[in-house]
């Protein structure tokens, strides 16, 4: 039985619905890892109090899912932090954390088309015309300087007006009124191309915003699959069955039948309004811009809908899109360095740092892998040998410290296309202002193979393997004593 089949069998045993929606995932958490899911009954304010609690948990390195059941001034509960750990992302696609990258790549290669259904829970409440009121949603204000409440877990569905091809991606939306949202999408993102295409025809771009769904659906929305490929197909593969979708009420788009909330609207051509500051994925504020707006035409939601938010500029915001970037870099590098072993973008790297391990077979392959990986959003690329555990920062920094010569193994490439969002991005002329260029750094920390490099000093592997700790350290008291005496030594 493969891991996914096993997971589904488990779900059936604990009476989780066969439909993979947000509720089925929460039930799964409740039954399997209750310590990972908290329900807050105390009344909370969606302005700063929700994120302040999450920050307090972050301070003690805790990232549980939190459901705020009692939100001041609102009927709907708020759910946060669902995507804050790799372990939960892995659980969402039915594998253990060390299989996340492999399984995600497998799903990208095996898309499953969505099925159109007539109706679904998302149509339990339909609000159009005068009934549309965004201020009834408990939209969260996340960070101190944010310009207002922001929808941060909104998957935006759009179509290319030429080809009719659908796209799903996540972009930030600021609450501006009962029927108005500020909207910003980065240049070059797939939603941005669809917006440019509609505006070329002087037409508004129709949008549908999905809020609240199974984390595998969110995982799919953050993919790096090529423009023109529908993320709904990937979502189907990730949740393990075709995504059921229904037609929207006021726009020519389709949305998941089991989503919690959907907002329908359109982006009028060439209308811009001030938007941001907003805490972004790199944990800094993105400054005020003139951004497009969305005129909202309808809101549909489940009867007892859960409003989902993502704690922006914090761990959840970073972690939720790391596996997708790792997958993209993995495929890219693997095509030129077949002995690529593993890829990781550490959470502390703010999506800008990637570490690769390779089994080096030919001299120069470290830099070759680094160059291939640099054609991505990563600006700092570290390449190590396959004896280094890339999930262990200590091991990686040890390799950099002991296997590199800065003059030939640290290579920087200035003036490479970036996005204008990173705090270090710059323009060509003055370099002082924000622009769409940045500098790539490749650190080749692989050992040379053309001549002997010193061997890592370790006791013989087979002797280590045969040690059973309990046979040597029988009483816990002894271990404590050892720790204490070493602590004392450190102080001296
Ligand atoms: Mn896309």
């Amino acid at each position: 039985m493969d891991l996914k089949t096993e997971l589904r069998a488990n779900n059936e045993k604990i009476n989780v619905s066969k439909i993979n929606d947000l509720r089925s995932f929460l039930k799964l958490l409740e039954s399997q890892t209750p310590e990972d899911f908290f329900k807050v009954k105390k009344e909370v304010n969606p302005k700063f109090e929700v994120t302040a609690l999450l920050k307090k948990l972050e301070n003690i390195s805790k990232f549980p899912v939190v459901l705020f059941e009692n939100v001041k001034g609102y009927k709907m509960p708020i759910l946060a932090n669902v995507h804050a750990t790799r372990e939960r992302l892995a659980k969402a696609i039915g594998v253990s954390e060390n299989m996340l990258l492999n399984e995600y790549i497998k799903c990208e290669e095996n898309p499953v088309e969505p099925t159109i259904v007539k109706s679904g829970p998302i149509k339990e409440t339909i609000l159009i015309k005068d009934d549309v009121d965004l201020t009834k949603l408990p939209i969260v204000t996340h960070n101190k300087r944010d310009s207002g409440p922001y929808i941060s877990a909104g998957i935006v569905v759009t179509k290319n007006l030429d080809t009719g091809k659908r796209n799903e991606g996540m972009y930030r939306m600021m609450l501006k009124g009962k029927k108005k949202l500020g909207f910003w999408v980065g240049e070059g993102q797939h939603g941005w191309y669809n917006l440019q295409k509609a505006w070329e025809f002087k037409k508004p771009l129709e949008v549908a915003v999905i809020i609240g769904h199974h984390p595998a659906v969110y995982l799919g929305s953050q993919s790096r699959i090529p423009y023109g490929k529908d993320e709904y197909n990937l979502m189907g593969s990730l949740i393990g069955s075709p995504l059921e979708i229904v037609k929207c009420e006021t726009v020519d788009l389709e949305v998941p039948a089991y989503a919690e909330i959907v907002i329908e609207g359109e982006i009028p051509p060439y209308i811009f309004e001030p938007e941001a500051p907003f805490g972004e994925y790199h944990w800094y504020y993105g400054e005020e811009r003139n951004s497009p707006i969305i005129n909202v035409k309808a809101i549909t939601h489940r009867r007892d809908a859960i409003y989902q938010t993502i704690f922006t500029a914090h761990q959840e915001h970073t972690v939720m899109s790391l596996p997708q970037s790792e997958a993209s870099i993995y495929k890219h590098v693997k095509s030129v360095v077949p002995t690529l072993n593993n890829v990781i973008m550490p959470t502390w790297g703010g999506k800008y740092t990637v570490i690769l391990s390779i089994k080096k077979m030919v001299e120069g392959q470290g830099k070759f892998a680094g160059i291939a990986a640099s054609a991505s959003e990563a600006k700092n690329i570290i390449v190590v040998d396959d004896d280094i555990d890339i999930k262990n920062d200590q091991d990686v920094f040890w390799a950099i410290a002991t296997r590199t010569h800065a003059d030939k193994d640290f290579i920087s490439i200035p003036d490479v296309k970036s996005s204008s969002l990173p705090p270090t991005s710059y323009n060509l002329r003055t370099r002082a202002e924000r622009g769409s260029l940045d500098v790539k750094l490749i650190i080749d920390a692989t050992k040379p193979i053309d001549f002997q490099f010193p061997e890592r000093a370790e006791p013989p592997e087979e002797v280590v393997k045969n040690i059973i700790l309990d046979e040597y350290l029988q009483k816990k008291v002894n271990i404590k004593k050892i720790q204490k005496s070493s602590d004392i030594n450190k102080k001296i």
Side-chain angles (χ1 to χ4, degrees):
M1 207 190 297
D2 69 12
L3 278 162
K4 261 195 166 166
T5 321
E6 201 177 323
L7 180 93
R8 246 170 259 140
N10 275 339
N11 287 0
E12 274 162 40
K13 257 187 250 160
I14 56 164
N15 273 332
V16 169
S17 133
K18 277 180 201 156
I19 297 297
N20 286 309
D21 60 2
L22 180 57
R23 291 150 196 235
S24 71
F25 187 72
L26 294 180
K27 267 194 187 163
L28 186 76
L29 280 186
E30 231 172 354
S31 68
Q32 289 185 348
T33 48
E35 69 285 0
D36 215 20
F37 180 30
F38 286 103
K39 290 178 180 173
V40 175
K41 301 221 180 301
K42 184 175 157 63
E43 188 184 70
V44 292
N45 194 323
K47 185 172 181 178
F48 301 139
E49 197 178 352
V50 163
T51 48
L53 177 96
L54 300 176
K55 172 66 188 169
K56 203 91 179 185
L57 287 166
E58 181 187 289
N59 287 346
I60 52 167
S61 299
K62 299 272 183 220
F63 303 92
V65 175
V66 186
L67 181 68
F68 298 89
E69 292 181 325
N70 187 0
V71 183
K72 195 179 175 187
Y74 299 90
K75 285 184 186 148
M76 283 183 195
I78 297 172
L79 182 74
N81 248 9
V82 175
H83 317 95
T85 69
R86 281 179 189 265
E87 196 190 351
R88 272 201 299 276
L89 295 183
K91 194 188 256 302
I93 58 169
V95 293
S96 57
E97 196 184 330
N98 61 358
M99 290 301 291
L100 176 57
L101 184 61
N102 280 358
E103 180 67 19
Y104 178 81
I105 291 174
K106 213 167 93 188
C107 289
E108 275 196 350
E109 284 161 3
N110 295 284
V112 175
E113 283 202 14
T115 318
I116 295 207
V117 294
K118 283 217 166 100
S119 191
I122 190 60
K123 301 294 188 186
E124 283 170 355
T125 307
I126 298 173
L127 305 165
I128 47 174
K129 293 186 181 158
D130 289 347
D131 292 332
V132 173
D133 187 356
L134 292 166
T135 65
K136 289 201 171 138
L137 300 177
I139 305 177
V140 173
T141 311
H142 299 85
N143 292 296
K144 195 165 64 184
R145 278 188 55 218
D146 283 358
S147 56
Y150 264 84
I151 296 172
S152 63
I155 301 172
V156 181
V157 189
T158 56
K159 268 183 190 163
N160 175 309
L161 283 198
D162 246 353
T163 62
K165 287 196 171 147
R166 223 172 10 220
N167 190 75
E168 291 77 36
M170 280 178 70
Y171 317 116
R172 70 192 196 201
M173 283 160 280
M174 175 186 161
L175 178 67
K176 285 191 159 236
K178 283 186 175 180
K179 294 181 182 183
K180 187 158 86 171
L181 294 166
F183 173 85
W184 188 70
V185 52
E187 309 86 348
Q189 289 188 269
H190 298 170
W192 181 84
Y193 285 112
N194 287 354
L195 185 67
Q196 302 310 308
K197 185 51 72 186
W199 285 9
E200 243 174 59
F201 295 130
K202 304 216 166 24
K203 282 191 175 164
L205 178 72
E206 292 190 327
V207 298
V209 182
I210 306 157
I211 302 171
H213 212 305
H214 193 281
V217 167
Y218 275 93
L219 207 55
S221 77
Q222 296 294 286
S223 81
R224 295 284 181 273
I225 55 174
Y227 181 53
K229 300 243 184 234
D230 187 354
E231 282 81 4
Y232 277 166
N233 298 8
L234 171 59
M235 291 170 187
S237 176
L238 289 164
I239 62 173
S241 57
L243 188 69
E244 292 187 12
I245 55 173
V246 285
K247 289 210 168 294
C248 284
E249 300 300 308
T250 60
V251 291
D252 181 25
L253 293 166
E254 299 77 29
V255 288
Y258 286 84
E260 293 292 326
I261 301 166
V262 164
I263 297 170
E264 303 176 8
E266 51 185 36
I267 305 175
Y270 306 109
I271 291 179
F272 298 93
E273 285 186 14
E275 178 265 344
F278 177 65
E280 267 295 350
Y281 69 87
H282 46 49
W283 301 31
Y284 292 95
Y285 289 100
E287 292 307 327
E288 186 181 298
R289 299 168 183 257
N290 280 320
S291 303
I293 58 161
I294 299 176
N295 290 321
V296 175
K297 295 163 82 175
I299 299 175
T300 68
H301 63 81
R302 292 174 78 145
R303 204 171 293 119
D304 47 354
I306 301 168
Y307 178 84
Q308 190 172 356
T309 200
I310 284 162
F311 186 10
T312 47
H314 287 77
Q315 184 161 306
E316 183 180 18
H317 202 171
T318 308
V319 165
M320 70 174 308
S321 62
L322 293 180
Q324 300 86 336
S325 295
E326 287 163 357
S328 155
I329 293 173
Y330 183 91
K331 288 198 271 190
H332 215 111
V333 177
K334 191 84 175 171
S335 70
V336 291
V337 180
T339 50
L340 171 70
N341 180 50
N342 205 355
V343 172
I344 194 163
M345 297 182 101
T347 310
W348 53 258
K351 282 199 214 178
Y352 301 139
T353 301
V354 65
I355 305 166
L356 320 171
S357 68
I358 62 167
K359 183 172 173 55
K360 194 167 167 182
M361 309 284 283
V362 185
E363 205 54 86
Q365 244 173 348
K367 293 186 179 66
F368 202 49
I371 290 166
S374 70
S376 70
E377 66 250 72
K379 51 179 265 180
N380 307 310
I381 299 104
I382 302 166
V383 189
V384 296
D385 296 298
D386 63 348
D387 66 325
I388 299 295
D389 176 5
I390 59 172
K391 289 179 182 164
N392 180 344
D393 297 335
Q394 154 93 14
D395 225 21
V396 172
F397 283 105
W398 174 75
I400 295 172
T402 62
R403 295 180 183 181
T404 64
H405 292 106
D407 63 338
K408 66 175 188 62
D409 295 323
F410 283 54
I411 298 132
S412 63
I413 311 167
D415 303 345
V416 183
K417 184 229 157 261
S418 165
S419 125
S420 59
L421 212 49
T424 52
S425 69
Y426 58 87
N427 70 343
L428 189 60
R429 217 147 45 90
T430 68
R431 212 174 156 150
E433 290 154 77
R434 206 59 84 72
S436 58
L437 299 176
D438 215 329
V439 182
K440 300 278 180 183
L441 170 69
I442 296 166
I443 301 177
D444 178 8
T446 57
K447 293 181 286 186
I449 50 173
D450 281 354
F451 58 92
Q452 185 97 36
F453 196 83
E455 200 182 329
R456 189 172 185 158
E458 300 284 5
E461 241 172 70
E462 62 281 9
V463 181
V464 175
K465 212 168 79 188
N466 288 331
I467 295 284
I468 298 162
L469 279 180
D470 284 352
E471 286 177 7
Y472 295 79
L473 312 168
Q474 282 168 352
K475 288 179 190 165
K476 280 184 182 163
V477 181
N478 286 347
I479 300 171
K480 271 188 188 165
K481 266 187 192 163
I482 293 163
Q483 279 173 348
K484 267 191 184 164
S485 64
S486 68
D487 285 347
I488 290 163
N489 285 343
K490 265 183 212 160
K491 273 176 200 161
I492 292 164

